[in-house]
Amino acid sequence: MRIGLTGLARSGRSTVFSALTGLDAAEGPRRGRDDVQVGTVKVPDARVEALARIYRPRKVVYAELSFTDFAGARGSGPGRGALHAMREQDALCHVLRAFPGVAAEAPDPVGELDSLETEALLADLEVIEARIERVRKEGKKTPELALLERVREALEAEVPLRRLELDALERKALSGYGLLTLKSLLVVHNVAEDGIGAPAPPSLLDEAAARGTGVITLSARVERDIALMEGGEQQEFVESLGLGEPAKDRFIRAAFALTDLVSMITVGPDECRAWPIRRGLPAPRAAGKVHSDIERGFIRAEVVPWQELVERGSEARCREAGVLRVEGKDYVVQDGDVVRFRFNV
Ligand code: GDP
C-alpha cells in the first residue's frame, strides 16, 4: 500500500518523510519539481508483539506501508511526473506547516489545506472534462456519461469526490482515473516543538471534516529526533514529552487505516506475522496471501481473536475454552484474527 505525502514548500513534508522512513529527503532547491522519493515503513502492531512474547519466534514480520514524498508548490502545482505518481497512490496525506520561523509568513494551516485541495480538485476536473469530451465525441449516451457529469458538478462546487455518495459500481467505473480527491486523505498538522501537547485549532478540524478527513498533530522535527535515538534513550525521551509512544507510530497506524486493509495474524515458532489483507476477504482468499497452495487446497481455518490467545497463552487453552473456532470457506477474516489454515494439496 502506498501513501503519498504532499505539502507546500517548507511545510516540513521532507522532515516528516525522514522521521517516518529514516531516509534523508533532499531539501528545497536541490529537488526538481518531478522529484519523488519512496521509503517503506513497518506498521507498529502491539498485537503481534504480544503474540511474539508467547511464541518467541525466530522472526517477527509486520505489515508494511510505503510513503512517497512529493514536492508541491503554491500556485504552480506539482509537475507532470509527480502528478502521475500521485495518481497511483492508494491514499494521500497533506502536511501543513503550523510552526513559525522558516518562512516570512505566519503559519496558515487552514490556508495550506485549502490550497492543496484546490490543486487536487483542479487536477481531477481536468481529467474528468477530458474524459467527458471523449465520451461525447464517441456520441454515446452511456451511464458513464451521467456519472462523469455528476462528478464534474461536484468538482465544480469544490466538493472532494471522497465526500460523494458512490455505489460500488460507480466507484469501480472511476477507479481507473486516479482521481486525487477520491483518495482517502489524512492531514498532518505539523507544529513547533512546544506545541505537541495542544489540540489542533477548531478551524482546522472543521476544514478537515468538510474534506472528509481527520487531523493528526505532531512535530516533524521532534519525531525525526526521536527516530535518530537509540531504543532506551528514545523511550525515555518520549515519556519525558508526556507521550505514550512516538506520534510517528500513531501516524503510521492512521495511514494504514486509510487503506481499508485489516491485519490477519499467523503465529508459530518460526514466525509471528501480520498480513495486510483487504477488508471483507473470505478465508481461502486470505490464505492465498500466505501461499497459493493453501488457497487451492483450503480445508478449513482455525481462528482465534488475538486478545483471547494473549490472555490464555496457548491455542490449546483457547480450544478448551471454546474460543478457538473452526471456520469454513465462507468465513470473512476479521482484523486481529489469529489464523491457522488446514489444507491439502
Ligand atoms: P518541505 O519543503 O516541506 O520538504 O520542508 P522541510 O521538511 O525541508 O522543512 C522546512 C524547514 O522547516 C526545515 O528547516 C525544517 O528543519 C523545518 N521544520 C520541519 N518540521 C519542523 C518542526 O516540526 N518544527 C520546526 N521548528 N521546524 C521544522
Side-chain angles (χ1 to χ4, degrees), residues 61-304:
V61 184
Y62 297 89
E64 289 189 344
L65 280 181
S66 88
F67 284 94
T68 308
D69 181 21
F70 293 99
R74 202 186 282 272
S76 61
R80 283 273 153 207
L83 198 58
H84 180 74
M86 221 182 274
R87 294 196 189 291
E88 292 183 338
Q89 303 296 307
D90 297 296
L92 295 176
C93 172
H94 294 333
V95 178
L96 312 177
R97 179 174 73 93
F99 57 89
V102 283
E105 314 99 73
D108 176 20
V110 173
E112 292 194 358
L113 175 56
D114 190 56
S115 154
L116 290 164
E117 279 291 279
T118 301
E119 244 170 45
L121 284 163
L122 289 174
D124 284 355
L125 192 56
E126 203 176 306
V127 170
I128 292 299
E129 279 179 339
R131 183 64 199 159
I132 288 178
E133 186 86 356
R134 192 147 354 115
V135 174
R136 283 230 175 97
K137 263 200 195 126
E138 288 165 5
K140 282 183 265 175
K141 247 213 155 333
T142 59
E144 192 200 356
L145 189 57
L147 171 63
L148 291 170
E149 276 168 351
R150 185 152 74 90
V151 166
R152 181 177 58 186
E153 247 168 63
L155 292 169
E156 280 171 349
E158 292 180 32
V159 175
L161 300 177
R162 72 182 77 84
R163 301 232 33 203
L164 209 59
E165 293 252 359
L166 296 166
D167 64 30
L169 270 179
E170 292 170 329
R171 255 171 216 289
K172 187 138 189 274
L174 294 176
S175 65
Y177 299 120
L179 296 163
L180 300 176
T181 67
L182 191 57
K183 295 181 192 299
S184 297
L185 176 69
L186 191 62
V187 165
V188 169
H189 179 230
N190 185 17
V191 298
E193 294 77 330
D194 56 7
I196 48 179
S203 58
L204 179 61
L205 293 173
D206 289 349
E207 190 68 24
R211 316 249 178 215
T213 179
V215 177
I216 279 206
T217 296
L218 53 78
S219 171
R221 195 175 265 176
V222 171
E223 292 303 315
R224 192 173 55 180
D225 290 350
I226 294 174
L228 292 175
M229 290 174 185
E230 303 290 335
E233 195 192 354
Q234 198 176 74
Q235 186 69 29
E236 231 172 80
F237 185 63
V238 168
E239 276 164 22
S240 77
L241 293 171
L243 305 170
E245 61 176 352
K248 178 184 94 164
D249 291 3
R250 206 160 30 91
F251 174 41
I252 295 172
R253 282 199 307 270
F256 184 71
L258 288 180
T259 60
D260 211 30
L261 294 174
V262 297
S263 294
M264 168 175 83
I265 303 171
T266 56
V267 293
D270 277 338
E271 175 180 280
C272 285
R273 177 165 185 162
W275 301 83
I277 58 168
R278 282 227 169 274
R279 190 183 295 282
L281 222 52
R285 293 274 309 285
K289 296 280 168 197
V290 180
H291 201 288
S292 56
D293 282 353
I294 312 181
E295 177 169 5
R296 223 158 14 95
F298 180 89
I299 301 171
R300 62 175 191 270
E302 295 172 7
V303 182
V304 58

